[in-house]
Amino acid sequence: MKHITILVPKGAILGSIEGPRLVFSEVNALLQRMGKPTLFTIQLAGLTNETPVCGGMYSVYTKTLIQDIAHTDLVVIPAIDGDIRQALDNNRDFIPWILAQYNRGAEVASLCMGAFILASTGLLKGRECTTHWAAANDFRRMFPEVKLVEDKLITDEHGIYSSGGAFSYLNLVLYLVEKYAGRDMAIACAKVFQIDIERVSQSAFIVFNGQKEHGDEPIKKAQIYIEDNYQEKITVDQLADMLALGRRNLERRFKKATANSVAEYIQRVKMEAAKTSLESSRENVNEVMYQVGYTDPKAFRSTFKRITGLSPNEYRSKYNREKAVAA
């Protein structure tokens, strides 16, 4: 029997509390229908018996407080909403309990923005983690010691798990179901809840918005220049001359400020422009390629797929707005 504790943080997103509870409960229900013993004991636990969630619009009532639980096998940290620093302060009393449970052998899984609570424990230092792509810049600033891999949907670091943004937490829950109950049970739950079990990346959903909340004004000037002139061929030497910086100095400062090399940043800006065009226009892939400053179809398609996880044609098929209206 696996004991699962789903935390109820103040300001949590309600769906990320109820979603895991439903999926783990379905495993028990399926096992019962098969004449087998249930696998999970599922508890919701908060800092208080009544916890405000969803910006205070609702409250979740829990019979159990975290101090009532001496040992659990899995701690699930749901997503939190609102001002992230305030949310962390409101939920800081979870931290020593999570650490104590991990040190006693429990595994810990964060869902979406719950990664901020998990990172606050220090357990992610030097380890990989993912979260909602829209929070990536904030996460990097607050937890530079964590290896953020925002393109991944799921991370698994020796019993510490995280999931990407929004409803992708369901993919992590299925991943845990497969680990604890087997592949067949995970597939059965995927069918019940209609979850695409094969998703491994959130790259196709990422909207690149370069990190500019740093104090390095020359680097910010370089970022703006790249974004305003992405159709042109821009080189590191050109930017270094423009800013009166040495090439190595520029590269070092650019990476520190933006978490991207200059070349990566240029590629990300170009691919974001290409995505916008594929979503909203009727231009063919080659026309889009030329518009964003590429002349080599192979290089363009390879870079596009590496960044988005999809080919240009696959991306257009999924996200073109005219197709959606026609349908």
Side-chain angles (χ1 to χ4, degrees):
M1 183 71 72
K2 288 280 186 183
H3 187 282
I4 297 175
T5 301
I6 301 173
L7 301 183
V8 183
K10 296 174 183 177
I13 295 174
L14 188 58
S16 65
I17 298 171
E18 181 64 358
R21 190 196 69 80
L22 284 171
V23 177
F24 289 128
S25 297
E26 182 64 21
V27 173
N28 283 343
L30 289 169
L31 288 170
Q32 284 183 316
R33 289 198 288 272
M34 296 164 62
K36 297 181 179 180
T38 58
L39 182 58
F40 301 128
T41 297
I42 307 157
Q43 281 187 301
L44 272 59
L47 298 173
T48 56
N49 293 117
E50 180 181 352
T51 304
V53 298
C54 300
M57 293 176 63
Y58 306 98
S59 290
V60 173
Y61 296 85
T62 54
K63 296 179 181 178
T64 306
L65 303 181
I66 56 169
Q67 58 263 33
D68 299 329
I69 302 174
H71 174 74
T72 191
D73 296 303
L74 173 67
V75 178
V76 177
I77 308 172
I80 48 178
D81 197 10
D83 181 87
I84 193 64
R85 292 188 184 275
Q86 185 61 55
L88 291 179
D89 187 56
N90 290 342
N91 292 289
R92 64 184 181 277
D93 290 340
F94 279 115
I95 303 303
W97 184 86
I98 294 170
L99 282 169
Q101 292 300 321
Y102 181 76
N103 290 332
R104 290 174 192 147
E107 297 188 315
V108 184
S110 69
L111 311 182
C112 187
M113 297 287 284
F116 284 79
I117 294 178
L118 177 55
S120 296
T121 66
L123 291 173
L124 287 173
K125 186 175 182 179
R127 290 173 164 164
E128 287 191 349
C129 176
T130 189
T131 187
H132 198 298
W133 58 262
N137 289 338
D138 288 336
F139 190 93
R140 286 194 182 95
R141 281 198 305 274
M142 294 176 68
F143 305 106
E145 72 282 4
V146 180
K147 297 177 182 178
L148 184 66
V149 283
E150 64 189 285
D151 58 317
K152 287 190 177 182
L153 203 69
I154 295 169
T155 63
D156 177 349
E157 289 274 315
H158 309 290
I160 299 177
Y161 310 93
S162 64
S163 75
F167 295 105
S168 65
Y169 71 79
L170 290 169
N171 290 90
L172 175 55
V173 175
L174 284 184
Y175 180 86
L176 294 170
V177 168
E178 181 172 352
K179 177 176 179 177
Y180 297 143
R183 177 75 173 174
D184 289 347
M185 189 59 68
I187 291 171
C189 286
K191 290 179 177 179
V192 169
F193 293 100
Q194 300 187 47
I195 305 166
D196 182 359
I197 198 171
E198 296 303 330
R199 284 183 60 203
V200 295
S201 172
Q202 59 179 346
S203 295
F205 302 99
I206 294 174
V207 177
F208 181 69
N209 183 17
Q211 153 74 311
K212 295 189 182 72
E213 294 182 16
H214 54 78
D216 197 328
E217 291 302 320
I219 299 306
K220 193 177 296 184
K221 183 177 178 181
Q223 291 174 265
I224 293 170
Y225 182 85
I226 292 168
E227 291 164 11
D228 288 344
N229 299 276
Y230 65 84
Q231 304 95 332
E232 308 299 327
K233 183 177 180 180
I234 303 171
T235 67
V236 178
D237 288 333
Q238 176 188 350
L239 291 173
D241 289 343
M242 181 183 78
L243 298 170
L245 293 173
R247 179 188 176 111
R248 290 181 64 184
N249 188 24
L250 170 62
E251 288 273 27
R252 178 184 58 80
R253 287 168 59 175
F254 200 98
K255 181 77 172 182
K256 180 180 179 181
T258 70
N260 290 274
S261 70
V262 176
E264 289 168 343
Y265 198 92
I266 293 169
Q267 288 179 341
R268 295 292 297 269
V269 170
K270 286 178 180 289
M271 292 306 109
E272 197 60 37
K275 285 162 59 181
T276 299
S277 184
L278 291 168
E279 291 169 14
S280 59
S281 75
R282 294 186 177 183
E283 281 96 352
N284 63 41
V285 172
N286 281 346
E287 288 172 325
V288 171
M289 174 188 73
Y290 290 127
Q291 286 173 7
V292 300
Y294 273 79
T295 57
D296 183 342
K298 184 177 179 180
F300 172 74
R301 292 170 191 271
S302 174
T303 302
F304 191 94
K305 186 158 189 177
R306 175 172 54 80
I307 289 175
T308 69
L310 300 169
S311 72
N313 282 326
E314 288 171 335
Y315 189 89
R316 162 168 276 158
S317 178
K318 277 182 175 287
Y319 298 114
N320 186 266
R321 296 167 195 165
E322 291 189 9
K323 177 182 177 181
V325 172

